Amino acid sequence: MDANASPVPTLHARVAAPTRPETASAPAEPVKLQATETVAKIEAQSQAQLQSELAPAKLLIEIDKVSGRFVNTLLDPESEQVLRQYPSDAQLAFSRAVEVYLKAMSL
């Protein structure tokens, strides 16, 4: 190995010279689309469907009497089935048990 040689080989990259864009004529006018009645109906239907999917019919906010905590319940708009509940039943059971224990200790 040569004493003057670098231990790490150097890399040479060739960079192309920047080119000037060709002068173009005036930009083309944007194409304007006109909505027909059928397109408007489809858009209205899809908008209504999105709103029915996104907006819940019922959001119940109640206070659990034993634990004293707020309970938020989200119900399905069609079947009235519980979609989400916070706090969960397990968390409510724990809170109720703690409240009962604290009341028993204070007697």
Side-chain angles (χ1 to χ4, degrees), residues 6-46:
S6 173
V8 178
T10 58
L11 299 176
H12 298 284
R14 291 187 177 187
V15 178
T19 58
R20 290 180 44 181
E22 308 234 353
T23 54
S25 60
E29 290 291 323
V31 178
K32 294 182 181 178
L33 299 177
Q34 295 179 355
T36 61
E37 290 179 17
T38 56
V39 173
K41 287 179 185 177
I42 292 172
E43 287 178 353
Q45 289 172 351
S46 64

Side-chain angles (χ1 to χ4, degrees), residues 1-9:
M1 189 174 222
D2 186 15
N4 293 333
S6 173
V8 178

Side-chain angles (χ1 to χ4, degrees), residues 75-91:
L75 299 175
D76 183 17
E78 296 171 1
S79 66
E80 297 293 322
Q81 194 174 23
V82 175
L83 297 175
R84 300 224 184 238
Q85 178 180 325
Y86 181 79
S88 67
D89 289 331
Q91 290 171 331

